[in-house]
Amino acid sequence: MMKDSRRNRQNGFQTMGPDGNWQKSSADTAKPLRSAGKIIGICALIAVVLILIFGSTYQIREQEQAVLITLGQASAVTEPGLHFKIPFIQHVRKVNTTIQGFSIGYDVDDYNNSTANESLMITSDYNFVNVDFFVEYRYSDPVKALYSSKEPVNILKNISQSCIRTVISSYTVDDVLTTGKNEIQAAIKSRIIDQLEQQDLGIQLVNITIQDSEPPTAEVMEAFKAVETAKQGKETALNNANKYRNEQLPQAQARVDGIIKDAEARKTERINEATAQVARFNAMYEEYVKNPTITRQRMFFEAMEEVLPDLKVIIESPDGDMQTIYPIDSFVSPGQDNGSAGPTAPSADYNVPVANE
């Protein structure tokens, strides 16, 4: 019976136990263990395959760059899309290349909460002023951004604060609060860019802007507001004056043009008249040279024809050689004998020679 029991256990049959119950043999117990081991092995193999598959690829999105590290050697990967790497040997670190920013002098989440140790500055005329800035930057070289320094953004912030205080200290408080903001921003940006080039951190300054500038006390703030109001009034007065000037200048220019045109017309008229008189005189002179006596008589007669019709005179010529003129009325018009307009006609006679025919 013992032999049969051993044979049955070896063959995998059930045997009678000491308590009289049937029991499975060891061969029957080994079969499930072998099946579980196979399942575990298959699962492990699948896990390794998945790790190899998913661990050998990585994705780069737009506005993003990656740094591929191979046994401590870093290289930049800038093209977006799906890329491959060697699992457990190569590692990937991604860098966001979008424009980012931070504030100086205030809290972005709570604008009214000012940071005095960052915003309080002194100007060239020894006045204190609170100035808030916002700095925009982006990563230009992902490898340098990750390995040239531990915290490049903090370095950029320290550089920005140093340049801001240096530039603000060279301007007056009036420039900082009113008219010089654009110039100050440009000077600060230029200084920061120069220092970033020297540091070579792989980070690039995009822009820096003044968000607000105000005096540290309410009294000084009110005084500067009054100054600003006066300046605005000045600008308004200048604009009104320029407007009035622009309205009056065309009218004045039109009047000037009219006067000039009238003067030119009178000039042309008088030149033409003078030219005609000269031509007439030259013609008369030519005739006079030919016959001086006849020309003089003709000129006398023409003058008398214009003068005598309005005069009341008596002409006497007793001997034929001389004519005597006796004026009856005054040679001047009535009302002109008072003052310097001219005397009345004398009582003397006027002898006029008569040309011989």
Side-chain angles (χ1 to χ4, degrees):
M1 180 140 185
M2 292 296 294
K3 292 181 179 179
D4 293 337
S5 297
R6 292 192 188 97
R7 190 182 298 113
N8 290 335
R9 284 198 303 270
Q10 292 174 358
N11 294 330
F13 297 108
Q14 292 181 346
T15 58
M16 182 70 70
D19 55 356
N21 295 324
W22 291 97
Q23 296 180 350
K24 291 183 179 181
S25 63
S26 59
D28 294 334
T29 306
K31 286 183 178 180
L33 294 176
R34 286 195 297 269
S35 299
K38 290 180 179 179
I39 294 172
I40 294 173
I42 292 172
C43 292
L45 181 61
I46 293 173
V48 171
V49 172
L50 292 175
I51 291 173
L52 293 176
I53 292 174
F54 292 101
S56 61
T57 61
Y58 61 96
Q59 181 77 20
I60 299 180
R61 299 183 179 86
E62 294 290 340
Q63 301 296 330
E64 190 178 55
Q65 293 182 4
V67 177
L68 184 63
I69 306 168
T70 305
L71 300 176
Q73 185 68 30
S75 60
V77 181
T78 60
E79 295 182 0
L82 185 65
H83 298 269
F84 295 92
K85 66 182 181 67
I86 302 174
F88 308 110
I89 297 177
Q90 292 181 324
H91 302 279
V92 177
R93 293 183 63 182
K94 297 180 181 180
V95 175
N96 184 7
T97 57
T98 59
I99 296 177
Q100 305 175 63
F102 57 85
S103 61
I104 297 177
Y106 69 99
D107 189 356
V108 177
D109 298 327
D110 185 6
Y111 186 78
N112 294 323
N113 185 15
S114 177
T115 307
N117 60 345
E118 293 182 355
S119 63
L120 186 61
M121 304 176 193
I122 188 170
T123 60
S124 61
D125 51 357
Y126 304 104
N127 286 304
F128 289 98
V129 63
N130 285 325
V131 189
D132 300 332
F133 288 86
F134 188 79
V135 180
E136 295 176 286
Y137 68 93
R138 62 182 295 272
Y139 291 106
S140 58
D141 190 330
V143 176
K144 293 180 180 178
L146 292 176
Y147 295 102
S148 293
S149 63
K150 185 178 181 180
E151 295 180 349
V153 177
N154 288 336
I155 296 176
L156 174 60
K157 187 172 184 178
N158 293 332
I159 291 175
S160 301
Q161 290 179 341
S162 174
C163 295
I164 287 171
R165 295 185 182 278
T166 302
V167 173
I168 293 294
S169 63
S170 61
Y171 285 85
T172 63
V173 66
D174 188 55
D175 293 334
V176 176
L177 296 178
T178 56
T179 59
K181 291 183 178 180
N182 292 331
E183 184 178 351
I184 291 172
Q185 290 176 172
I188 293 172
K189 184 177 181 180
S190 178
R191 281 179 170 270
I192 294 175
I193 291 175
D194 292 340
Q195 293 200 21
L196 286 178
E197 290 179 354
Q198 297 176 3
Q199 298 289 337
D200 198 14
L201 301 175
I203 193 170
Q204 177 185 1
L205 177 68
V206 177
N207 196 17
I208 181 168
T209 54
I210 297 177
Q211 299 297 309
D212 191 18
S213 59
E214 60 183 11
T217 61
E219 293 80 4
V220 179
M221 188 182 302
E222 291 298 327
F224 275 103
K225 286 182 179 179
V227 172
E228 187 64 23
T229 302
K231 288 183 178 179
Q232 292 177 359
K234 174 186 175 183
E235 294 294 331
T236 302
L238 288 175
N239 292 334
N240 292 333
N242 291 330
K243 180 181 177 181
Y244 179 76
R245 181 189 64 182
N246 294 333
E247 291 175 353
Q248 295 298 320
L249 280 178
Q251 299 177 6
Q253 188 64 39
R255 290 195 296 268
V256 169
D257 293 339
I259 294 172
I260 292 175
K261 289 181 180 179
D262 292 341
E264 290 178 350
R266 293 184 61 186
K267 172 185 174 183
T268 304
E269 181 181 357
R270 297 191 66 174
I271 290 175
N272 294 335
E273 182 180 357
T275 303
Q277 290 179 358
V278 169
R280 180 183 176 186
F281 177 81
N282 290 333
M284 292 177 63
Y285 181 73
E286 291 178 359
E287 296 297 328
Y288 174 78
V289 171
K290 296 177 182 178
N291 299 295
T293 304
I294 296 175
T295 303
R296 282 198 303 270
Q297 291 179 353
R298 182 176 178 180
M299 292 175 65
F300 173 76
F301 292 149
E302 289 178 352
M304 290 298 102
E305 287 178 354
E306 295 178 358
V307 174
L308 292 178
D310 295 331
L311 297 178
K312 294 181 181 180
V313 296
I314 298 174
I315 301 175
E316 181 182 9
S317 179
D319 54 0
D321 293 333
M322 299 291 292
Q323 291 181 348
T324 304
I325 299 175
Y326 300 98
I328 299 175
D329 294 335
S330 174
F331 286 159
V332 297
S333 60
Q336 292 183 351
D337 49 353
N338 294 328
S340 60
T344 58
S347 59
D349 300 335
Y350 291 91
N351 299 322
V352 180
V354 179
N356 297 321
E357 297 182 357

